[in-house]
Amino acid sequence: MKTSWRALVAVLLLAGFPVLVLLVVGGFAVAEYYAFRQSGLLAIKLGIVVVPVSFALLKALFAIERTRGGDLPGVPVTPAGQPGLWALVRELADTVGTRPPDTITLVSEVNAGVREQTGWLGLRVRRREMFIGAQLLAGLRHDQLRALLGHELAHYTNRDTRLAGLTYRGRRSIEKALTGLDGDGWFEGLVRKLFVLYAKLYFSVSAAVCRRQEFAADVAAASLAGTAAATSALREVEALAVAWDFYLNRYASLGWDAGYLPDRLAAGFQLLLADTERAEELDRIRRNPPEEEASRYDSHPPTPARIAALEARPEVPARPDGARPASEVLRDPAATLDAVMTDGLSPEAKAKGRLDWDALVNTGLRHTGARFAAEVLAGRTLAAALDLIDAGHAAELADPASKPPASAGPRAKREFLATSVRERLSVVVTPVLAEAGVLRWKLSWSGPPELVVDEPYDTGLPAALDVAAAADPDTLPLRRLLAAAGALPVRS
């Protein structure tokens, strides 16, 4: 069945949805009328059940007629503010044979798309809006950006675009209807089962339309940017999604507990993408994009299937100017991308202070270290902890989960706990020396931050910790080292 016929069948099924809704609601009204003639109390009891169900169904019905949408979250950009980006979008729209969007909004997500505000059952477009993820602009090449934006615009170029667009909106409306029928009663369950059966039929037909539209839009993207750019863009989106999540969780959040975020979100993300070792990890994702379990109701084909379909077609040559960064289409890209990524943060995140990357890693890790140190000290001062070791009670500083054999003698117990005491003593000393300025962390985009210790502490600290935690402890070398750094009063 051709896409246009599938879309027509989907629209007919969608047109049948209001009929089904009106039949069900009308049946409720008739039942309510006869119930009222029998007994007012019976009518009230029946109304308690049928009125919420009827409201949910009618609400979904009116949602089909008009999709207004709300304001897109993000940073709107005007032709005067970002002439390069608008020129690219207009060029692509003209090439694929559709009108450009009325608005472009930059959003903080690894995604791009176009949506419409419509009327007349979706057949009349009132407003077209495009959104473009800042992470895409930060991480893609120019030709890959052309492919992705061309793909989105190409959804609106075929003869069956109004029907295909309506199937997308119909899916959302029927989903709303099912969401409204979430009661636990047997009656709600019976009505929900009826609409679930109808929805499955509709989703099955409309999903086929949507998937064919995706393949057709991919072909248009390849014609605009080249086959290699179109396939690599699909792979790159998967890699950028993983990289962004990793970046937020492992880097941008380094100073979260201390109350800070990096002052240059976009620049940090681009540095992570440019790191050689991280690039190798992302290459594995590019070569093998994740393939989720397919369902007959999925509106998008799996990424590997889309790539295979493009590679099976005659190759479209690459554009000669495609290798430059996508961010070059922006005016003042660093400031623009930072503003968009910041706009995408939660209110709690926006309230955080801002530090440069060097200050952020040190402030964040020093704060984390101080918290762990407080747990080890359990209300003691560092000097009191060292006194505890000198008094032969180092076991009180050891990890409570580290328990020597019950049969071990006093010395064997001290030897058994020496490693734990040494590790936890290091946890206590590290933030103290960091506060004193003789120890710091160096940011690495290839792995965890590197601990850097000034001389002579870099050579003296390990040995001092060793003897302080030994079975026959001596805390004097560690006390002298801390005193030299100004982190502990000189012992008289």
Side-chain angles (χ1 to χ4, degrees), residues 438-452:
V438 300
L439 176 153
R440 67 196 59 82
W441 290 268
K442 181 180 179 182
L443 184 65
S444 170
W445 297 107
S446 301
E450 177 187 356
L451 185 63
V452 179

Side-chain angles (χ1 to χ4, degrees), residues 373-374 376-397 421 425 428-429 432 468 475 478-479 482 487-489 491:
V376 173
L377 291 172
R380 306 181 186 90
T381 64
L382 175 56
L386 296 178
D387 291 341
L388 196 67
I389 293 174
D390 289 336
H393 301 293
E396 295 186 27
L397 296 177
V421 172
L425 194 56
V428 171
V429 168
V432 171
T475 65
L478 182 57
R479 290 178 185 272
L482 293 170
L488 194 71
R491 193 175 188 182

Side-chain angles (χ1 to χ4, degrees), residues 49-75:
V49 177
V50 302
V51 169
V53 174
S54 300
F55 177 77
L57 293 175
L58 291 173
K59 183 178 179 182
L61 178 60
F62 287 113
I64 297 176
E65 194 284 327
R66 177 171 296 180
T67 303
R68 292 184 178 274
D71 292 335
L72 280 171
V75 179

Side-chain angles (χ1 to χ4, degrees), residues 82-427:
Q82 292 295 342
L85 178 60
W86 271 93
L88 173 62
V89 171
R90 284 169 172 164
E91 176 210 331
L92 294 172
D94 183 65
T95 303
V96 300
T98 189
R99 69 176 179 85
D102 299 296
T103 63
I104 297 178
T105 302
L106 301 184
V107 296
S108 184
E109 58 182 81
V110 188
N111 194 15
V114 178
R115 73 174 190 177
E116 293 178 334
Q117 297 181 18
T118 64
W120 295 358
L121 280 176
L123 297 178
R124 177 186 175 189
V125 177
R126 301 174 183 273
R127 183 180 179 84
R128 182 176 293 177
E129 302 165 323
M130 171 171 273
F131 60 91
I132 306 171
Q135 291 79 356
L136 300 179
L137 291 163
L140 294 178
R141 301 192 312 262
H142 188 272
D143 58 351
Q144 293 170 331
L145 179 66
R146 284 181 64 91
L148 287 183
L149 299 186
H151 171 99
E152 298 303 329
L153 291 167
H155 277 306
Y156 300 90
T157 60
N158 298 325
R159 287 178 299 173
D160 60 345
T161 181
R162 285 293 152 262
L163 302 183
L166 184 55
T167 62
Y168 277 102
R169 290 182 285 277
R171 290 170 67 91
R172 291 200 298 269
S173 299
I174 292 179
E175 287 169 357
K176 288 181 181 178
L178 295 178
T179 301
L181 299 173
D182 57 357
D184 297 328
W186 68 268
F187 183 77
E188 291 91 336
L190 182 63
V191 176
R192 180 179 175 83
K193 184 174 293 185
L194 172 64
F195 281 91
V196 164
L197 291 174
Y198 195 92
K200 285 183 176 180
L201 176 60
Y202 177 79
F203 286 171
S204 178
V205 175
S206 64
V209 176
C210 296
R211 289 194 295 269
R212 286 176 179 267
Q213 284 293 98
E214 291 299 323
F215 284 123
D218 285 339
V219 173
S223 69
L224 291 168
T227 301
T231 56
S232 65
L234 292 173
R235 297 179 187 275
E236 196 65 28
V237 168
E238 301 286 352
L240 288 176
V242 173
W244 178 249
D245 287 342
F246 180 80
Y247 173 72
L248 288 180
N249 294 329
R250 293 288 296 274
Y251 286 93
S253 61
L254 278 171
W256 178 271
D257 290 339
Y260 295 96
L261 287 177
D263 61 351
R264 294 180 299 144
L265 275 172
F269 184 51
Q270 289 174 313
L271 288 172
L272 175 70
L273 294 175
D275 183 79
T276 303
E277 292 189 25
R278 296 299 185 199
E280 292 178 357
E281 296 174 8
L282 295 176
D283 276 340
R284 289 193 288 271
I285 300 173
R286 296 182 183 105
R287 290 192 298 269
N288 300 291
E291 183 171 0
E292 298 181 358
E293 185 176 351
S295 167
R296 62 184 298 187
Y297 306 119
D298 289 340
S299 61
H300 280 61
T303 298
R306 295 170 64 185
I307 293 172
L310 281 175
E311 291 177 340
R313 298 179 60 85
E315 183 175 2
V316 180
R319 293 179 60 89
D321 59 345
R324 67 184 190 275
S327 59
E328 289 186 2
V329 302
L330 297 175
R331 175 182 288 171
D332 195 0
T336 300
L337 295 178
D338 270 329
V340 176
M341 292 181 182
T342 300
D343 182 79
L345 298 174
S346 67
E348 182 183 5
K350 290 179 181 178
K352 300 285 184 182
R354 297 304 178 94
L355 293 173
D356 63 58
W357 279 103
D358 288 337
L360 181 77
V361 66
N362 278 283
T363 301
L365 293 182
R366 188 168 66 241
H367 177 86
T368 301
R371 188 177 73 247
F372 290 153
E375 293 176 4
V376 173
L377 291 172
R380 306 181 186 90
T381 64
L382 175 56
L386 296 178
D387 291 341
L388 196 67
I389 293 174
D390 289 336
H393 301 293
E396 295 186 27
L397 296 177
D399 186 346
S402 180
K403 298 185 180 299
S407 60
R411 182 175 181 81
K413 289 182 179 179
R414 293 198 302 271
E415 291 176 346
F416 180 88
L417 294 174
T419 300
S420 176
V421 172
R422 205 265 190 205
E423 290 175 353
R424 289 164 68 83
L425 194 56
S426 177
V427 167

